[in-house]
Amino acid sequence: MWLTDAAIAEAVSQGEVVITPFVQEMSRPASHLLTLSDRVVRTRASYQPIDVFSRESVQQAFMPVERVSPILLAPGEFALAATRECVGLSPMHLGRLTGMSHLARLGLIVHVTADLVSPGFGWDVPTAITLELVNHHARPLMLHPGMPICHLMVGQMALPARQPYHWLGVRYGGSEEPTVSRYPDEFGSGKGVSRTAG
């Protein structure tokens, strides 16, 4: 069940959902707007493939975190950014990240298929959400820290998650910065990967 603006505010006041800072003016009918921080991670150009099982290969594909204002996004550029707000969800709640119509009409994508915020995300230590920004416009986009950047929808489940995110050896928890992929930490060397064809 997706929560309305009033229900999200109530969940925040009851401590079942954390959105810090929580600004009432950012409430929307079925979501809460999150804003852009000044932290960004840009990609490092190379013809070398990224080995998704290799932590070193993944790390080498990105530049270090930088703090900039404004953030310029070139046509076709992919960069990681972070929300200014830190978020925490109880094991009874899940989130969904989605773009804003205003910005979508300028060609901005805020996530590359990864819209799920898992139950228990940031529950022990509220965490900024990493945004996967892509500019699909023919011209550069100028983004400003503090601007509304995306919607966070919050849902309440029928039962709490049996294995909430913060029990799974938190991989993206506790950071206020955009975090590069930690796929190798979970699945490196093919851990948990089926070798069966089909």
Short mmCIF file of all heavy atoms in Angstrom, two decimals, residues 131-193:
data_model
loop_
_atom_site.label_atom_id
_atom_site.label_comp_id
_atom_site.label_asym_id
_atom_site.label_seq_id
_atom_site.Cartn_x
_atom_site.Cartn_y
_atom_site.Cartn_z
N LEU A 131 21.84 8.83 -6.63
CA LEU A 131 21.09 9.05 -7.87
C LEU A 131 21.98 8.69 -9.06
O LEU A 131 23.17 9.02 -9.08
CB LEU A 131 20.67 10.52 -7.97
CG LEU A 131 19.86 11.06 -6.79
CD1 LEU A 131 19.71 12.58 -6.92
CD2 LEU A 131 18.49 10.40 -6.73
N GLU A 132 21.39 8.04 -10.04
CA GLU A 132 22.11 7.69 -11.27
C GLU A 132 21.63 8.64 -12.36
O GLU A 132 20.62 8.40 -13.01
CB GLU A 132 21.83 6.23 -11.63
CG GLU A 132 22.23 5.25 -10.52
CD GLU A 132 21.15 4.22 -10.22
OE1 GLU A 132 20.12 4.22 -10.92
OE2 GLU A 132 21.33 3.45 -9.28
N LEU A 133 22.33 9.76 -12.51
CA LEU A 133 21.89 10.83 -13.40
C LEU A 133 22.35 10.60 -14.83
O LEU A 133 23.51 10.25 -15.07
CB LEU A 133 22.43 12.18 -12.92
CG LEU A 133 22.07 12.61 -11.49
CD1 LEU A 133 22.70 13.97 -11.21
CD2 LEU A 133 20.57 12.66 -11.29
N VAL A 134 21.44 10.82 -15.78
CA VAL A 134 21.78 10.78 -17.20
C VAL A 134 21.07 11.95 -17.88
O VAL A 134 19.89 12.19 -17.64
CB VAL A 134 21.34 9.46 -17.87
CG1 VAL A 134 21.72 9.46 -19.35
CG2 VAL A 134 21.96 8.26 -17.17
N ASN A 135 21.80 12.67 -18.72
CA ASN A 135 21.23 13.77 -19.49
C ASN A 135 20.95 13.30 -20.91
O ASN A 135 21.87 13.05 -21.69
CB ASN A 135 22.21 14.96 -19.51
CG ASN A 135 21.71 16.11 -20.39
OD1 ASN A 135 20.55 16.14 -20.81
ND2 ASN A 135 22.59 17.04 -20.67
N HIS A 136 19.66 13.22 -21.27
CA HIS A 136 19.27 12.79 -22.61
C HIS A 136 18.97 13.97 -23.53
O HIS A 136 18.51 13.77 -24.65
CB HIS A 136 18.06 11.86 -22.54
CG HIS A 136 18.43 10.44 -22.24
ND1 HIS A 136 19.18 9.66 -23.08
CD2 HIS A 136 18.16 9.64 -21.17
CE1 HIS A 136 19.35 8.46 -22.56
NE2 HIS A 136 18.75 8.42 -21.39
N HIS A 137 19.20 15.19 -23.07
CA HIS A 137 18.98 16.35 -23.93
C HIS A 137 20.20 16.57 -24.82
O HIS A 137 21.29 16.09 -24.52
CB HIS A 137 18.71 17.60 -23.08
CG HIS A 137 17.98 18.68 -23.82
ND1 HIS A 137 18.58 19.46 -24.77
CD2 HIS A 137 16.68 19.08 -23.76
CE1 HIS A 137 17.71 20.32 -25.26
NE2 HIS A 137 16.54 20.10 -24.67
N ALA A 138 20.00 17.32 -25.91
CA ALA A 138 21.11 17.63 -26.81
C ALA A 138 22.01 18.73 -26.27
O ALA A 138 23.10 18.97 -26.80
CB ALA A 138 20.56 18.06 -28.18
N ARG A 139 21.57 19.39 -25.19
CA ARG A 139 22.35 20.47 -24.59
C ARG A 139 22.71 20.12 -23.15
O ARG A 139 22.03 19.32 -22.51
CB ARG A 139 21.55 21.78 -24.62
CG ARG A 139 21.28 22.26 -26.04
CD ARG A 139 20.33 23.45 -26.05
NE ARG A 139 20.86 24.60 -25.34
CZ ARG A 139 20.23 25.78 -25.27
NH1 ARG A 139 19.07 25.95 -25.89
NH2 ARG A 139 20.78 26.77 -24.60
N PRO A 140 23.78 20.70 -22.61
CA PRO A 140 24.13 20.44 -21.21
C PRO A 140 23.03 20.90 -20.26
O PRO A 140 22.29 21.85 -20.56
CB PRO A 140 25.41 21.27 -21.01
CG PRO A 140 25.95 21.49 -22.37
CD PRO A 140 24.76 21.58 -23.28
N LEU A 141 22.93 20.23 -19.13
CA LEU A 141 22.00 20.62 -18.08
C LEU A 141 22.79 21.18 -16.91
O LEU A 141 23.83 20.63 -16.53
CB LEU A 141 21.18 19.42 -17.60
CG LEU A 141 20.05 18.93 -18.50
CD1 LEU A 141 19.44 17.65 -17.93
CD2 LEU A 141 18.98 19.99 -18.68
N MET A 142 22.29 22.26 -16.31
CA MET A 142 22.90 22.86 -15.14
C MET A 142 22.00 22.58 -13.95
O MET A 142 20.88 23.08 -13.87
CB MET A 142 23.09 24.37 -15.34
CG MET A 142 23.80 25.06 -14.19
SD MET A 142 23.96 26.86 -14.45
CE MET A 142 25.09 26.89 -15.83
N LEU A 143 22.48 21.77 -13.02
CA LEU A 143 21.72 21.38 -11.84
C LEU A 143 22.29 22.08 -10.62
O LEU A 143 23.51 22.24 -10.49
CB LEU A 143 21.77 19.86 -11.65
CG LEU A 143 21.36 19.02 -12.87
CD1 LEU A 143 21.53 17.53 -12.58
CD2 LEU A 143 19.94 19.33 -13.30
N HIS A 144 21.41 22.49 -9.71
CA HIS A 144 21.82 23.29 -8.57
C HIS A 144 21.59 22.54 -7.25
O HIS A 144 20.47 22.06 -7.01
CB HIS A 144 21.05 24.61 -8.55
CG HIS A 144 21.23 25.42 -9.79
ND1 HIS A 144 22.25 26.33 -9.93
CD2 HIS A 144 20.54 25.43 -10.97
CE1 HIS A 144 22.18 26.89 -11.13
NE2 HIS A 144 21.16 26.36 -11.78
N PRO A 145 22.61 22.42 -6.42
CA PRO A 145 22.42 21.81 -5.10
C PRO A 145 21.28 22.50 -4.35
O PRO A 145 21.15 23.73 -4.38
CB PRO A 145 23.76 22.04 -4.41
CG PRO A 145 24.75 22.07 -5.54
CD PRO A 145 24.03 22.78 -6.65
N GLY A 146 20.44 21.67 -3.71
CA GLY A 146 19.28 22.18 -2.99
C GLY A 146 18.00 22.15 -3.80
O GLY A 146 16.91 22.29 -3.24
N MET A 147 18.11 21.93 -5.13
CA MET A 147 16.89 21.90 -5.95
C MET A 147 16.17 20.56 -5.77
O MET A 147 16.80 19.52 -5.57
CB MET A 147 17.25 22.09 -7.43
CG MET A 147 18.07 20.96 -8.04
SD MET A 147 18.50 21.21 -9.79
CE MET A 147 16.94 20.75 -10.57
N PRO A 148 14.82 20.56 -5.83
CA PRO A 148 14.11 19.28 -5.84
C PRO A 148 14.54 18.48 -7.06
O PRO A 148 14.63 19.02 -8.16
CB PRO A 148 12.64 19.70 -5.94
CG PRO A 148 12.60 21.08 -5.36
CD PRO A 148 13.90 21.71 -5.78
N ILE A 149 14.84 17.19 -6.85
CA ILE A 149 15.42 16.38 -7.91
C ILE A 149 14.63 15.11 -8.21
O ILE A 149 14.67 14.59 -9.32
CB ILE A 149 16.89 16.03 -7.57
CG1 ILE A 149 17.63 15.43 -8.77
CG2 ILE A 149 16.97 15.10 -6.35
CD1 ILE A 149 17.94 16.39 -9.87
N CYS A 150 13.87 14.59 -7.21
CA CYS A 150 13.14 13.34 -7.44
C CYS A 150 12.04 13.17 -6.39
O CYS A 150 12.01 13.86 -5.38
CB CYS A 150 14.09 12.14 -7.39
SG CYS A 150 14.86 11.88 -5.78
N HIS A 151 11.13 12.25 -6.69
CA HIS A 151 10.10 11.85 -5.74
C HIS A 151 10.55 10.60 -5.00
O HIS A 151 11.12 9.69 -5.60
CB HIS A 151 8.79 11.48 -6.46
CG HIS A 151 8.11 12.61 -7.15
ND1 HIS A 151 7.18 13.40 -6.53
CD2 HIS A 151 8.20 13.07 -8.44
CE1 HIS A 151 6.71 14.29 -7.39
NE2 HIS A 151 7.33 14.11 -8.55
N LEU A 152 10.27 10.54 -3.70
CA LEU A 152 10.39 9.30 -2.95
C LEU A 152 8.98 8.87 -2.56
O LEU A 152 8.29 9.56 -1.81
CB LEU A 152 11.22 9.48 -1.68
CG LEU A 152 11.28 8.25 -0.76
CD1 LEU A 152 12.01 7.09 -1.44
CD2 LEU A 152 11.93 8.59 0.58
N MET A 153 8.54 7.75 -3.14
CA MET A 153 7.27 7.14 -2.73
C MET A 153 7.56 6.17 -1.59
O MET A 153 8.63 5.53 -1.57
CB MET A 153 6.62 6.42 -3.90
CG MET A 153 6.28 7.32 -5.08
SD MET A 153 5.66 6.39 -6.53
CE MET A 153 4.13 5.70 -5.85
N VAL A 154 6.64 6.06 -0.65
CA VAL A 154 6.82 5.18 0.50
C VAL A 154 5.64 4.23 0.58
O VAL A 154 4.48 4.66 0.53
CB VAL A 154 6.95 5.98 1.82
CG1 VAL A 154 7.10 5.02 3.01
CG2 VAL A 154 8.12 6.94 1.76
N GLY A 155 5.93 2.95 0.68
CA GLY A 155 4.88 1.95 0.79
C GLY A 155 4.96 1.20 2.12
O GLY A 155 6.05 1.09 2.70
N GLN A 156 3.81 0.73 2.58
CA GLN A 156 3.77 -0.09 3.79
C GLN A 156 3.36 -1.50 3.40
O GLN A 156 2.38 -1.70 2.69
CB GLN A 156 2.77 0.47 4.81
CG GLN A 156 2.75 -0.31 6.11
CD GLN A 156 1.96 0.41 7.19
OE1 GLN A 156 1.88 1.63 7.20
NE2 GLN A 156 1.38 -0.35 8.09
N MET A 157 4.12 -2.48 3.87
CA MET A 157 3.89 -3.87 3.49
C MET A 157 2.98 -4.56 4.50
O MET A 157 2.77 -4.08 5.62
CB MET A 157 5.22 -4.59 3.37
CG MET A 157 6.16 -3.93 2.37
SD MET A 157 7.67 -4.87 2.08
CE MET A 157 8.38 -4.92 3.71
N ALA A 158 2.44 -5.70 4.10
CA ALA A 158 1.54 -6.45 4.97
C ALA A 158 2.27 -7.03 6.17
O ALA A 158 1.72 -7.11 7.27
CB ALA A 158 0.86 -7.57 4.17
N LEU A 159 3.52 -7.43 5.97
CA LEU A 159 4.35 -7.99 7.03
C LEU A 159 5.74 -7.39 6.93
O LEU A 159 6.18 -7.02 5.84
CB LEU A 159 4.45 -9.51 6.91
CG LEU A 159 3.16 -10.33 7.11
CD1 LEU A 159 3.41 -11.78 6.71
CD2 LEU A 159 2.71 -10.24 8.56
N PRO A 160 6.48 -7.30 8.03
CA PRO A 160 7.86 -6.81 7.94
C PRO A 160 8.73 -7.79 7.16
O PRO A 160 8.48 -9.00 7.16
CB PRO A 160 8.30 -6.70 9.40
CG PRO A 160 7.40 -7.61 10.16
CD PRO A 160 6.09 -7.62 9.41
N ALA A 161 9.74 -7.26 6.49
CA ALA A 161 10.67 -8.11 5.74
C ALA A 161 11.37 -9.08 6.70
O ALA A 161 11.77 -8.69 7.80
CB ALA A 161 11.70 -7.24 5.03
N ARG A 162 11.50 -10.32 6.28
CA ARG A 162 12.17 -11.32 7.11
C ARG A 162 13.67 -11.02 7.21
O ARG A 162 14.29 -11.26 8.25
CB ARG A 162 11.95 -12.71 6.51
CG ARG A 162 12.50 -13.85 7.34
CD ARG A 162 12.07 -15.20 6.79
NE ARG A 162 10.63 -15.37 6.86
CZ ARG A 162 9.97 -16.38 6.30
NH1 ARG A 162 10.64 -17.31 5.63
NH2 ARG A 162 8.66 -16.47 6.41
N GLN A 163 14.24 -10.51 6.12
CA GLN A 163 15.65 -10.12 6.10
C GLN A 163 15.75 -8.68 5.61
O GLN A 163 16.04 -8.44 4.43
CB GLN A 163 16.47 -11.05 5.19
CG GLN A 163 16.65 -12.45 5.74
CD GLN A 163 17.59 -13.25 4.86
OE1 GLN A 163 17.47 -13.27 3.65
NE2 GLN A 163 18.56 -13.90 5.49
N PRO A 164 15.50 -7.71 6.47
CA PRO A 164 15.57 -6.32 6.02
C PRO A 164 16.98 -5.93 5.60
O PRO A 164 17.96 -6.58 5.97
CB PRO A 164 15.12 -5.53 7.25
CG PRO A 164 15.35 -6.44 8.41
CD PRO A 164 15.16 -7.83 7.90
N TYR A 165 17.05 -4.88 4.82
CA TYR A 165 18.30 -4.45 4.20
C TYR A 165 19.45 -4.31 5.19
O TYR A 165 20.57 -4.73 4.92
CB TYR A 165 18.06 -3.12 3.47
CG TYR A 165 19.23 -2.62 2.67
CD1 TYR A 165 19.41 -3.04 1.36
CD2 TYR A 165 20.15 -1.72 3.21
CE1 TYR A 165 20.48 -2.57 0.61
CE2 TYR A 165 21.21 -1.26 2.48
CZ TYR A 165 21.37 -1.69 1.17
OH TYR A 165 22.44 -1.23 0.44
N HIS A 166 19.16 -3.72 6.35
CA HIS A 166 20.24 -3.47 7.30
C HIS A 166 20.77 -4.73 7.98
O HIS A 166 21.76 -4.67 8.71
CB HIS A 166 19.81 -2.43 8.36
CG HIS A 166 18.71 -2.87 9.27
ND1 HIS A 166 17.45 -3.15 8.81
CD2 HIS A 166 18.67 -3.06 10.60
CE1 HIS A 166 16.68 -3.52 9.83
NE2 HIS A 166 17.40 -3.46 10.93
N TRP A 167 20.13 -5.88 7.72
CA TRP A 167 20.65 -7.15 8.22
C TRP A 167 21.54 -7.85 7.20
O TRP A 167 22.16 -8.86 7.51
CB TRP A 167 19.50 -8.09 8.57
CG TRP A 167 18.78 -7.74 9.84
CD1 TRP A 167 18.93 -6.60 10.60
CD2 TRP A 167 17.78 -8.52 10.49
NE1 TRP A 167 18.09 -6.63 11.67
CE2 TRP A 167 17.35 -7.79 11.63
CE3 TRP A 167 17.18 -9.74 10.22
CZ2 TRP A 167 16.37 -8.26 12.49
CZ3 TRP A 167 16.19 -10.21 11.07
CH2 TRP A 167 15.80 -9.48 12.21
N LEU A 168 21.58 -7.33 5.99
CA LEU A 168 22.25 -8.04 4.91
C LEU A 168 23.71 -7.60 4.73
O LEU A 168 24.25 -7.66 3.64
CB LEU A 168 21.49 -7.82 3.59
CG LEU A 168 20.06 -8.35 3.57
CD1 LEU A 168 19.39 -8.00 2.25
CD2 LEU A 168 20.04 -9.86 3.78
N GLY A 169 24.35 -7.17 5.81
CA GLY A 169 25.73 -6.72 5.69
C GLY A 169 25.76 -5.43 4.89
O GLY A 169 26.36 -5.38 3.81
N VAL A 170 25.11 -4.42 5.40
CA VAL A 170 24.81 -3.18 4.69
C VAL A 170 25.93 -2.75 3.77
O VAL A 170 27.07 -2.57 4.19
CB VAL A 170 24.50 -2.05 5.70
CG1 VAL A 170 24.20 -0.76 4.97
CG2 VAL A 170 23.32 -2.44 6.57
N ARG A 171 25.60 -2.56 2.51
CA ARG A 171 26.60 -2.22 1.50
C ARG A 171 26.58 -0.75 1.13
O ARG A 171 27.54 -0.22 0.65
CB ARG A 171 26.39 -3.09 0.26
CG ARG A 171 26.68 -4.55 0.58
CD ARG A 171 26.37 -5.49 -0.55
NE ARG A 171 26.77 -6.83 -0.18
CZ ARG A 171 26.01 -7.67 0.52
NH1 ARG A 171 24.82 -7.30 0.91
NH2 ARG A 171 26.45 -8.86 0.82
N TYR A 172 25.46 -0.10 1.32
CA TYR A 172 25.38 1.31 0.96
C TYR A 172 24.90 2.16 2.14
O TYR A 172 24.43 3.26 1.96
CB TYR A 172 24.42 1.51 -0.23
CG TYR A 172 24.87 0.83 -1.50
CD1 TYR A 172 24.24 -0.32 -1.96
CD2 TYR A 172 25.94 1.34 -2.24
CE1 TYR A 172 24.65 -0.94 -3.13
CE2 TYR A 172 26.35 0.72 -3.39
CZ TYR A 172 25.70 -0.42 -3.85
OH TYR A 172 26.11 -1.03 -5.00
N GLY A 173 24.99 1.64 3.33
CA GLY A 173 24.44 2.33 4.49
C GLY A 173 25.37 3.36 5.09
O GLY A 173 26.59 3.22 5.06
N GLY A 174 24.77 4.44 5.62
CA GLY A 174 25.49 5.39 6.45
C GLY A 174 26.23 6.49 5.74
O GLY A 174 26.86 7.33 6.39
N SER A 175 26.18 6.55 4.41
CA SER A 175 26.96 7.55 3.68
C SER A 175 26.09 8.74 3.29
O SER A 175 24.90 8.60 3.01
CB SER A 175 27.56 6.92 2.42
OG SER A 175 28.28 7.90 1.69
N GLU A 176 26.70 9.93 3.26
CA GLU A 176 26.05 11.12 2.74
C GLU A 176 26.56 11.43 1.33
O GLU A 176 26.19 12.45 0.74
CB GLU A 176 26.31 12.32 3.65
CG GLU A 176 25.68 12.17 5.03
CD GLU A 176 25.91 13.40 5.90
OE1 GLU A 176 26.57 14.35 5.43
OE2 GLU A 176 25.40 13.41 7.03
N GLU A 177 27.39 10.56 0.78
CA GLU A 177 27.98 10.76 -0.53
C GLU A 177 27.43 9.74 -1.52
O GLU A 177 26.99 8.66 -1.12
CB GLU A 177 29.50 10.63 -0.46
CG GLU A 177 30.16 11.66 0.43
CD GLU A 177 31.67 11.53 0.44
OE1 GLU A 177 32.17 10.44 0.07
OE2 GLU A 177 32.33 12.51 0.81
N PRO A 178 27.48 10.06 -2.82
CA PRO A 178 27.12 9.04 -3.81
C PRO A 178 28.10 7.88 -3.74
O PRO A 178 29.31 8.10 -3.57
CB PRO A 178 27.21 9.78 -5.15
CG PRO A 178 28.05 10.99 -4.88
CD PRO A 178 27.87 11.33 -3.45
N THR A 179 27.60 6.69 -3.82
CA THR A 179 28.42 5.49 -3.64
C THR A 179 28.45 4.68 -4.93
O THR A 179 27.40 4.37 -5.49
CB THR A 179 27.85 4.62 -2.51
OG1 THR A 179 27.66 5.43 -1.35
CG2 THR A 179 28.79 3.48 -2.17
N VAL A 180 29.64 4.36 -5.41
CA VAL A 180 29.76 3.56 -6.63
C VAL A 180 29.31 2.12 -6.35
O VAL A 180 29.13 1.72 -5.20
CB VAL A 180 31.20 3.57 -7.19
CG1 VAL A 180 31.66 5.00 -7.45
CG2 VAL A 180 32.16 2.86 -6.26
N SER A 181 29.13 1.37 -7.40
CA SER A 181 28.61 0.01 -7.29
C SER A 181 29.46 -0.85 -6.36
O SER A 181 30.69 -0.86 -6.43
CB SER A 181 28.57 -0.64 -8.68
OG SER A 181 28.21 -2.00 -8.58
N ARG A 182 28.77 -1.58 -5.50
CA ARG A 182 29.44 -2.56 -4.64
C ARG A 182 29.01 -3.98 -5.01
O ARG A 182 29.02 -4.89 -4.20
CB ARG A 182 29.13 -2.25 -3.17
CG ARG A 182 29.83 -0.98 -2.72
CD ARG A 182 29.56 -0.63 -1.28
NE ARG A 182 30.32 0.55 -0.88
CZ ARG A 182 30.09 1.26 0.21
NH1 ARG A 182 29.11 0.89 1.03
NH2 ARG A 182 30.81 2.30 0.50
N TYR A 183 28.64 -4.12 -6.27
CA TYR A 183 28.28 -5.44 -6.79
C TYR A 183 29.37 -6.48 -6.52
O TYR A 183 29.06 -7.60 -6.11
CB TYR A 183 27.99 -5.33 -8.29
CG TYR A 183 27.41 -6.56 -8.93
CD1 TYR A 183 26.02 -6.72 -9.02
CD2 TYR A 183 28.22 -7.56 -9.46
CE1 TYR A 183 25.48 -7.85 -9.61
CE2 TYR A 183 27.68 -8.68 -10.05
CZ TYR A 183 26.31 -8.83 -10.13
OH TYR A 183 25.77 -9.94 -10.71
N PRO A 184 30.66 -6.13 -6.71
CA PRO A 184 31.70 -7.15 -6.44
C PRO A 184 31.71 -7.62 -5.00
O PRO A 184 32.08 -8.77 -4.72
CB PRO A 184 33.00 -6.41 -6.78
CG PRO A 184 32.60 -5.28 -7.67
CD PRO A 184 31.23 -4.87 -7.21
N ASP A 185 31.32 -6.76 -4.05
CA ASP A 185 31.33 -7.16 -2.65
C ASP A 185 30.28 -8.23 -2.36
O ASP A 185 30.46 -9.07 -1.48
CB ASP A 185 31.08 -5.95 -1.75
CG ASP A 185 32.18 -4.91 -1.85
OD1 ASP A 185 33.29 -5.27 -2.30
OD2 ASP A 185 31.94 -3.74 -1.49
N GLU A 186 29.18 -8.17 -3.11
CA GLU A 186 28.11 -9.15 -2.88
C GLU A 186 28.23 -10.35 -3.79
O GLU A 186 27.97 -11.48 -3.37
CB GLU A 186 26.75 -8.49 -3.08
CG GLU A 186 25.59 -9.43 -2.76
CD GLU A 186 24.25 -8.72 -2.67
OE1 GLU A 186 24.19 -7.50 -2.89
OE2 GLU A 186 23.25 -9.41 -2.37
N PHE A 187 28.63 -10.11 -5.04
CA PHE A 187 28.62 -11.20 -6.03
C PHE A 187 29.98 -11.44 -6.68
O PHE A 187 30.07 -12.16 -7.67
CB PHE A 187 27.59 -10.91 -7.13
CG PHE A 187 26.18 -10.80 -6.61
CD1 PHE A 187 25.55 -9.56 -6.61
CD2 PHE A 187 25.50 -11.91 -6.12
CE1 PHE A 187 24.25 -9.44 -6.13
CE2 PHE A 187 24.21 -11.79 -5.66
CZ PHE A 187 23.58 -10.56 -5.66
N GLY A 188 31.05 -10.84 -6.14
CA GLY A 188 32.37 -11.01 -6.72
C GLY A 188 32.78 -12.46 -6.85
O GLY A 188 32.40 -13.29 -6.03
N SER A 189 33.53 -12.75 -7.89
CA SER A 189 33.99 -14.13 -8.19
C SER A 189 32.82 -15.06 -8.46
O SER A 189 32.92 -16.27 -8.33
CB SER A 189 34.85 -14.70 -7.05
OG SER A 189 35.96 -13.85 -6.82
N GLY A 190 31.68 -14.45 -8.81
CA GLY A 190 30.52 -15.27 -9.18
C GLY A 190 29.76 -15.83 -8.02
O GLY A 190 28.97 -16.76 -8.18
N LYS A 191 29.94 -15.26 -6.80
CA LYS A 191 29.21 -15.78 -5.64
C LYS A 191 27.70 -15.67 -5.88
O LYS A 191 27.20 -14.62 -6.22
CB LYS A 191 29.59 -14.98 -4.39
CG LYS A 191 31.01 -15.20 -3.91
CD LYS A 191 31.29 -14.40 -2.65
CE LYS A 191 31.39 -12.92 -2.96
NZ LYS A 191 31.84 -12.13 -1.79
N GLY A 192 27.01 -16.73 -5.66
CA GLY A 192 25.56 -16.73 -5.79
C GLY A 192 25.05 -16.67 -7.21
O GLY A 192 23.87 -16.50 -7.45
N VAL A 193 25.96 -16.86 -8.20
CA VAL A 193 25.55 -16.77 -9.60
C VAL A 193 25.33 -18.17 -10.15
O VAL A 193 26.19 -19.04 -10.03
CB VAL A 193 26.62 -16.03 -10.44
CG1 VAL A 193 26.24 -16.04 -11.91
CG2 VAL A 193 26.79 -14.61 -9.94
#
